[in-house]
Amino acid sequence: MELDKAKIPAELAAGDLKYSEANEQLVKKNFWRKTKKFAGKIPFTKDAVAMYYCALDAKTPLWAKGIAFGALAYFISPLDTIPDALLGLGLTDDAAIIAAAVRAIAGQVTDEHRQKSEEFFDDGN
């Protein structure tokens, strides 16, 4: 993952997350496993799922895909600034990354992406 961990989470800028094929492959391979583990347990999972669908959308610009795949790669990476196993704190860095990325690409996440996210959660996953 190509992200300066010294800037996580407080100083994250959208420009830090450039498109990376490695991030895209990591996310495509591992996103659902971690998302299903935390679905409904943390408040940002709906945003993460909508951002995932945005990243996969062929109409999404490459810069937005870079931000989305970079943030999602950080979320699923076992090498966090704060390990996920630390109850109460472990996902705060992930939440900050997802929130910053969602704000950065807000204009690219469409109603269709949000609807697909809602359907994922409505299916009980």
Short mmCIF file of all heavy atoms in Angstrom, two decimals, residues 1 5 10 16 25-26 30 39 49 59 61 63 69 76 83 88-90 93 97-98 101-102 113 116 124:
data_model
loop_
_atom_site.label_atom_id
_atom_site.label_comp_id
_atom_site.label_asym_id
_atom_site.label_seq_id
_atom_site.Cartn_x
_atom_site.Cartn_y
_atom_site.Cartn_z
N MET A 1 0.85 -1.17 0.00
CA MET A 1 0.00 0.00 0.00
C MET A 1 0.89 1.23 0.00
O MET A 1 1.83 1.31 0.78
CB MET A 1 -0.89 -0.04 1.22
CG MET A 1 -1.92 1.02 1.24
SD MET A 1 -3.03 0.83 2.63
CE MET A 1 -1.93 0.47 3.93
N LYS A 5 2.38 6.39 6.35
CA LYS A 5 1.72 6.10 7.62
C LYS A 5 1.99 7.17 8.67
O LYS A 5 1.26 7.27 9.65
CB LYS A 5 2.11 4.72 8.12
CG LYS A 5 1.59 3.65 7.19
CD LYS A 5 1.55 2.33 7.89
CE LYS A 5 1.23 1.26 6.90
NZ LYS A 5 -0.01 0.72 6.87
N ALA A 10 -4.68 11.96 10.94
CA ALA A 10 -5.05 13.36 11.03
C ALA A 10 -4.69 14.20 9.81
O ALA A 10 -5.43 15.09 9.45
CB ALA A 10 -4.44 13.99 12.28
N ASP A 16 -2.61 12.20 -1.36
CA ASP A 16 -1.70 11.15 -0.90
C ASP A 16 -2.09 9.78 -1.46
O ASP A 16 -1.30 8.85 -1.41
CB ASP A 16 -1.70 11.06 0.63
CG ASP A 16 -1.05 12.27 1.27
OD1 ASP A 16 -0.30 12.98 0.57
OD2 ASP A 16 -1.30 12.50 2.46
N GLN A 25 -5.93 -4.53 -6.67
CA GLN A 25 -5.95 -6.00 -6.56
C GLN A 25 -6.14 -6.45 -5.12
O GLN A 25 -6.89 -7.40 -4.86
CB GLN A 25 -4.67 -6.59 -7.16
CG GLN A 25 -4.53 -6.37 -8.65
CD GLN A 25 -5.76 -6.82 -9.43
OE1 GLN A 25 -6.30 -7.89 -9.22
NE2 GLN A 25 -6.22 -5.95 -10.34
N LEU A 26 -5.49 -5.78 -4.18
CA LEU A 26 -5.66 -6.11 -2.76
C LEU A 26 -7.11 -5.94 -2.33
O LEU A 26 -7.67 -6.81 -1.66
CB LEU A 26 -4.75 -5.21 -1.90
CG LEU A 26 -4.88 -5.38 -0.39
CD1 LEU A 26 -4.32 -6.72 0.05
CD2 LEU A 26 -4.19 -4.24 0.32
N ASN A 30 -9.62 -8.95 -1.04
CA ASN A 30 -9.86 -9.08 0.40
C ASN A 30 -10.96 -8.21 1.00
O ASN A 30 -11.24 -8.33 2.19
CB ASN A 30 -8.55 -8.77 1.15
CG ASN A 30 -7.46 -9.73 0.80
OD1 ASN A 30 -7.63 -10.93 0.86
ND2 ASN A 30 -6.31 -9.19 0.39
N ALA A 39 -19.37 -5.71 9.37
CA ALA A 39 -20.65 -5.15 8.91
C ALA A 39 -21.61 -4.97 10.08
O ALA A 39 -21.84 -5.88 10.86
CB ALA A 39 -21.27 -6.05 7.85
N VAL A 49 -18.55 0.42 1.68
CA VAL A 49 -19.14 -0.41 0.63
C VAL A 49 -19.54 0.45 -0.56
O VAL A 49 -19.28 0.09 -1.72
CB VAL A 49 -20.32 -1.25 1.16
CG1 VAL A 49 -21.06 -1.95 0.04
CG2 VAL A 49 -19.82 -2.27 2.20
N LYS A 59 -17.11 4.31 -14.92
CA LYS A 59 -17.30 5.75 -15.13
C LYS A 59 -16.56 6.61 -14.11
O LYS A 59 -16.46 7.81 -14.27
CB LYS A 59 -18.80 6.09 -15.11
CG LYS A 59 -19.58 5.45 -16.26
CD LYS A 59 -21.06 5.71 -16.12
CE LYS A 59 -21.58 4.73 -15.11
NZ LYS A 59 -22.97 4.49 -15.04
N PRO A 61 -13.57 8.41 -12.42
CA PRO A 61 -12.26 8.85 -12.88
C PRO A 61 -11.12 8.16 -12.11
O PRO A 61 -11.29 7.80 -10.94
CB PRO A 61 -12.25 10.35 -12.59
CG PRO A 61 -13.61 10.73 -12.19
CD PRO A 61 -14.37 9.50 -11.85
N TRP A 63 -8.43 9.28 -10.74
CA TRP A 63 -8.02 9.93 -9.49
C TRP A 63 -8.91 9.49 -8.34
O TRP A 63 -8.43 9.28 -7.22
CB TRP A 63 -7.98 11.46 -9.62
CG TRP A 63 -9.32 12.10 -9.82
CD1 TRP A 63 -9.90 12.44 -11.00
CD2 TRP A 63 -10.24 12.49 -8.80
NE1 TRP A 63 -11.15 13.00 -10.79
CE2 TRP A 63 -11.37 13.04 -9.44
CE3 TRP A 63 -10.23 12.41 -7.40
CZ2 TRP A 63 -12.48 13.52 -8.74
CZ3 TRP A 63 -11.35 12.89 -6.71
CH2 TRP A 63 -12.45 13.44 -7.37
N PHE A 69 -9.52 3.12 -3.73
CA PHE A 69 -8.75 1.88 -3.54
C PHE A 69 -7.68 2.06 -2.47
O PHE A 69 -7.41 1.14 -1.70
CB PHE A 69 -8.13 1.40 -4.85
CG PHE A 69 -9.09 0.71 -5.77
CD1 PHE A 69 -9.19 1.08 -7.10
CD2 PHE A 69 -9.89 -0.34 -5.32
CE1 PHE A 69 -10.07 0.43 -7.96
CE2 PHE A 69 -10.77 -0.99 -6.17
CZ PHE A 69 -10.86 -0.61 -7.48
N ILE A 76 -8.45 -2.69 4.85
CA ILE A 76 -8.34 -4.15 4.92
C ILE A 76 -6.93 -4.63 5.25
O ILE A 76 -6.73 -5.81 5.55
CB ILE A 76 -8.82 -4.83 3.61
CG1 ILE A 76 -7.96 -4.42 2.42
CG2 ILE A 76 -10.27 -4.53 3.37
CD1 ILE A 76 -8.30 -5.15 1.15
N PRO A 83 -3.70 -1.24 15.57
CA PRO A 83 -4.22 -2.57 15.24
C PRO A 83 -5.72 -2.70 15.53
O PRO A 83 -6.20 -2.23 16.57
CB PRO A 83 -3.41 -3.52 16.13
CG PRO A 83 -2.17 -2.75 16.45
CD PRO A 83 -2.58 -1.31 16.50
N GLY A 88 -12.16 -0.62 20.88
CA GLY A 88 -12.45 0.78 21.08
C GLY A 88 -11.55 1.73 20.31
O GLY A 88 -11.93 2.83 20.01
N LEU A 89 -10.33 1.32 20.00
CA LEU A 89 -9.40 2.18 19.29
C LEU A 89 -8.99 1.64 17.94
O LEU A 89 -8.61 2.41 17.06
CB LEU A 89 -8.12 2.38 20.13
CG LEU A 89 -8.25 3.16 21.41
CD1 LEU A 89 -6.92 3.18 22.14
CD2 LEU A 89 -8.70 4.58 21.14
N GLY A 90 -9.04 0.34 17.78
CA GLY A 90 -8.46 -0.31 16.62
C GLY A 90 -8.97 0.12 15.27
O GLY A 90 -8.25 0.03 14.28
N ASP A 93 -8.39 4.67 13.21
CA ASP A 93 -7.58 5.12 12.07
C ASP A 93 -8.26 4.74 10.76
O ASP A 93 -8.27 5.52 9.81
CB ASP A 93 -6.15 4.59 12.15
CG ASP A 93 -6.05 3.08 12.19
OD1 ASP A 93 -6.97 2.42 12.72
OD2 ASP A 93 -5.05 2.53 11.70
N ILE A 97 -9.55 7.36 7.76
CA ILE A 97 -9.17 7.20 6.35
C ILE A 97 -10.41 7.13 5.47
O ILE A 97 -10.49 7.81 4.44
CB ILE A 97 -8.32 5.93 6.16
CG1 ILE A 97 -7.00 6.04 6.92
CG2 ILE A 97 -8.08 5.64 4.68
CD1 ILE A 97 -6.10 7.13 6.46
N ILE A 98 -11.37 6.31 5.86
CA ILE A 98 -12.60 6.17 5.07
C ILE A 98 -13.33 7.50 5.01
O ILE A 98 -13.78 7.92 3.93
CB ILE A 98 -13.51 5.05 5.64
CG1 ILE A 98 -12.81 3.69 5.57
CG2 ILE A 98 -14.86 5.03 4.93
CD1 ILE A 98 -12.50 3.18 4.17
N ALA A 101 -11.55 9.89 2.67
CA ALA A 101 -11.72 9.47 1.27
C ALA A 101 -13.13 9.74 0.78
O ALA A 101 -13.32 10.20 -0.35
CB ALA A 101 -11.36 8.00 1.13
N VAL A 102 -14.12 9.45 1.61
CA VAL A 102 -15.52 9.70 1.23
C VAL A 102 -15.72 11.18 0.94
O VAL A 102 -16.36 11.55 -0.05
CB VAL A 102 -16.49 9.19 2.32
CG1 VAL A 102 -17.89 9.73 2.13
CG2 VAL A 102 -16.51 7.66 2.34
N HIS A 113 -24.33 3.69 -6.37
CA HIS A 113 -23.33 3.08 -5.47
C HIS A 113 -23.91 2.95 -4.06
O HIS A 113 -23.74 1.91 -3.41
CB HIS A 113 -22.06 3.92 -5.42
CG HIS A 113 -21.44 4.14 -6.77
ND1 HIS A 113 -20.87 5.34 -7.12
CD2 HIS A 113 -21.29 3.33 -7.84
CE1 HIS A 113 -20.40 5.27 -8.35
NE2 HIS A 113 -20.65 4.04 -8.82
N LYS A 116 -26.49 0.10 -3.96
CA LYS A 116 -25.85 -1.22 -3.90
C LYS A 116 -25.35 -1.49 -2.49
O LYS A 116 -25.43 -2.62 -2.00
CB LYS A 116 -24.69 -1.30 -4.90
CG LYS A 116 -25.14 -1.43 -6.33
CD LYS A 116 -23.94 -1.52 -7.25
CE LYS A 116 -24.34 -1.69 -8.70
NZ LYS A 116 -23.18 -1.80 -9.59
N GLY A 124 -28.54 -8.89 4.78
CA GLY A 124 -28.11 -9.49 6.03
C GLY A 124 -26.66 -9.91 6.07
O GLY A 124 -26.27 -10.74 6.87
#
